[in-house]
Structures are given as structure tokens and as C-alpha cells.
Amino acid sequence: MKRLPTLLSLACLALGLLPLSGQAADYPDKPVRIVVPFPAGAAADAAIRVVARRMSELWHQPVVIDNRPGVHGIQLVSAASPDGYTLLLGAGSGMVTAPLLSSKLSYKPSRDFVPVGRVLINVPILTTHPGLNVASVQELVALARKNPGSLNYSSSGNGSPGHLSMEMFQAATGTRMLQIPYKGGAPAVNELVGGHVQLGINAVPSVLPQIKAGKLTPLAVASARRSRALPQVPTMAEAGVKDFEYDIWYALFAPARTPAAVVAKASAALRSSLEDGEVARALIAQGAEPAPTTPEELARFMQEDTARWARLVKERNLQLD
């Protein structure tokens, strides 16, 4: 909580308050690597590849995606040379909620990184297996209240977006359900599709094919607005659940002490790429929502996100240590 102002101050520097060095003026003059701490083929990986292609065109330099799943990928970028040639695709789960849930992380976002800009938002969606035979959030809540602790949901692990969003849902609806954690998003979705668990909240891109195939029943999106990929699905507020708003977000970060001018140039290229019509259409087709920001806007957003999750972590007594 106390470290985020450091991120904000670093973001202010990234807006160009330091002089443009010769190195920054030429940036980038060689390939740029974006480390993705998720497996190849994951929703975030597919999305950043679309963006990277456009950034490569703007820079006339290769932008290489390097999949390094897990904490190892985050550590790799934190230890990289602060020259803008190694960037991190960070998620809210790794850059905001993980530090709130564990005091034993091997990295500290406020110490090890400077924000470049937000990339996208993946709208979370609550889905059930058709065998549960519920057609609305109201029916699900009524069933859960009638049978506390009997319904189960899948997640990609303790502290994951699927876990925390369901904790938020239970707090908002006064229900109690059982978490079944899996090692990753793919098995969590597969087990839901297979009927081994009954429900879950996942990013739209992760379940869009299964929804279209009728293998999962969509009940509501866990965000303030409807998904452009599934405009017929109501929001939680529209479905009668108040005080429930959650976005799964991804952003680019550079190692701490990266020159401000380099960060500013990387941020400008990222925003330009996300504002490109072809890129935006490709992301929306995947189920993602382009959500560009400046470094300063990202830092403020992270402060607000941290404050919101800190309350839930305290109220639900959540921890990973």
C-alpha cells in the first residue's frame, strides 16, 4: 500500500521530466523483448502478440514475445538492464493483488518496475455448467443461499483472478461456495466445461468459444459495462448484484531506473498501437478490450485498484503466506 506512490512518482518521470539522452533519442535501434509470464496460447499472450506486431511496424524493429510463465518471468524483467529493451506484460494479479496476499514475494512492483501503460482489459464473466440448470444470477444466488457450501467453483489457484472475483461475488451476495483451485486457467476452464465443477468467473477470451458452443451458460459479466464480444450478457449490476465491479487488466512495465524518455517513447508506441483500428478489432474479436493509458494514468489506476482489493483481502482474511 505504501509503495504505490513510488510507482506514481516514477510514472511522472516517465512523462519526460528528464532530459532526452542520446541513447533514448535512438530508441529502439534493436529488437525489443516483451516477457509474458503466461504460457503461449493464453488469452493475454494472444492479445499482446497482436499489439507487438503493430509496435514492430511503428518502430521498424522486431518486438519479440518471450513466454516465461510464472514468477520467473517477472523476476527476469526486474533484473534486466534498464534500457527499455526488455519489458514485462504484467497483470493485476501479479502487480497488485499478489503483493497484498503475500509478504514473501521475490519482487516488489514499486521497487522493481516503472509503469509504461495499460494494454487491455479482459472482462470477467460468470458462467455455469449447463447441468447446474440455472439461467440467471438470481437463480444461482437463490440456490447457493438455500444450500450454503454445496456449490463449487474452479479457479486457477489461490489469489488468482477467478478466486478473488468469486470471493467478491460471495461477499456481495451473502453466499458461501467451495473453491476448487487448479494449476492454471486452462485446466480450470476445462474442468468447468467437463462438469467436474459447477461455476466460475473467467476472462471472456478464455471461455468465449465454449459459450458460443453452448458448453457453458453465461450469467453476467463482472464489470461496469457489457462485453463487446457478448453484448447480450448483462452486467452484475443489471442482474441485481450491487457493489460488484472487477476487471482483469494487463499492462506493460519496464525495469526500474529505465530512462524516462525511453519509457515515454515506449508508452507512446503502445498507445498508438492500441488506437489502431485493425488492432482494436482483432482484440475485440478475441474478447479483449483495448484500454490504453499514459504511465501516470496507469500508476493512479493501480493505486485505486490496490485500495479496493486491500479492503476485500482484509474483510475476507485472505493470504497466501
Side-chain angles (χ1 to χ4, degrees):
M1 290 291 294
K2 294 181 179 179
R3 300 189 183 99
L4 280 175
T6 303
L7 267 177
L8 182 56
S9 62
L10 286 171
C12 292
L13 291 177
L15 294 178
L17 299 182
L18 293 182
L20 187 67
S21 67
Q23 180 184 15
D26 296 333
Y27 174 83
D29 60 2
K30 61 181 181 180
V32 174
R33 176 174 59 156
I34 298 177
V35 174
V36 177
F38 308 103
D45 172 72
I48 195 60
R49 289 178 185 274
V50 173
V51 179
R53 282 195 293 271
R54 181 56 183 150
M55 292 178 71
S56 178
E57 293 169 356
L58 291 173
W59 278 338
H60 304 290
Q61 292 289 344
V63 177
V64 180
I65 301 301
D66 185 2
N67 296 95
R68 302 293 183 100
V71 174
H72 171 67
I74 300 175
Q75 292 174 320
L76 188 153
V77 180
S78 69
S81 176
D83 54 13
Y85 289 97
T86 301
L87 304 174
L88 171 72
L89 180 69
S93 56
M95 305 303 281
V96 166
T97 54
L100 292 172
L101 292 166
S102 175
S103 60
K104 299 178 181 179
L105 287 180
S106 56
Y107 66 93
K108 295 182 180 179
S110 59
R111 179 194 66 196
D112 298 333
F113 299 97
V114 58
V116 173
R118 192 171 58 192
V119 178
L120 60 90
I121 286 172
N122 278 339
V123 175
I125 186 168
L126 171 63
T127 62
T128 61
H129 186 270
L132 190 59
N133 198 29
V134 297
S136 68
V137 172
Q138 292 92 333
E139 289 183 14
L140 174 64
V141 171
L143 181 63
R145 288 175 176 170
K146 184 179 179 180
N147 303 281
S150 65
L151 299 184
N152 55 43
Y153 67 91
S154 63
S155 80
S156 57
N158 289 329
S160 67
H163 174 214
L164 295 180
S165 57
M166 281 302 302
E167 288 286 344
M168 183 185 290
F169 180 78
Q170 292 173 89
T173 58
T175 55
R176 180 164 57 86
M177 304 181 213
L178 176 65
Q179 179 200 195
I180 308 297
Y182 294 91
K183 294 182 178 180
V189 172
N190 290 340
E191 293 296 284
L192 174 57
V193 172
H196 303 291
V197 292
Q198 297 163 310
L199 65 145
I201 294 180
N202 297 279
V204 165
S206 300
V207 293
L208 186 58
Q210 292 85 355
I211 291 172
K212 290 183 174 180
K215 296 179 180 179
L216 292 176
T217 302
L219 299 188
V221 293
S223 62
R225 65 212 163 278
R226 295 192 179 198
S227 166
R228 284 187 278 185
L230 294 167
Q232 75 279 13
V233 179
T235 65
M236 283 289 182
E238 291 170 335
V241 180
K242 307 300 181 184
D243 302 320
F244 188 104
E245 182 179 335
Y246 175 43
D247 286 320
I248 300 171
W249 59 267
Y250 298 90
L252 284 189
F253 296 85
R257 297 176 298 282
T258 298
V262 169
V263 173
K265 291 186 74 172
S267 182
L270 173 62
R271 294 196 305 276
S272 179
S273 298
L274 292 169
E275 290 164 358
D276 179 85
E278 185 176 343
V279 170
R281 286 188 292 273
L283 293 178
I284 292 167
Q286 293 180 6
E289 302 279 347
T293 68
T294 65
E296 187 178 35
E297 289 167 342
L298 173 57
R300 282 199 296 265
F301 171 80
M302 290 177 64
Q303 285 185 310
E304 295 165 0
D305 207 35
T306 297
R308 186 159 57 96
W309 283 112
R311 288 192 295 270
L312 181 73
V313 167
K314 183 177 180 180
E315 291 169 0
R316 306 288 290 185
N317 192 29
L318 304 175
Q319 59 183 14
L320 296 180
D321 292 344

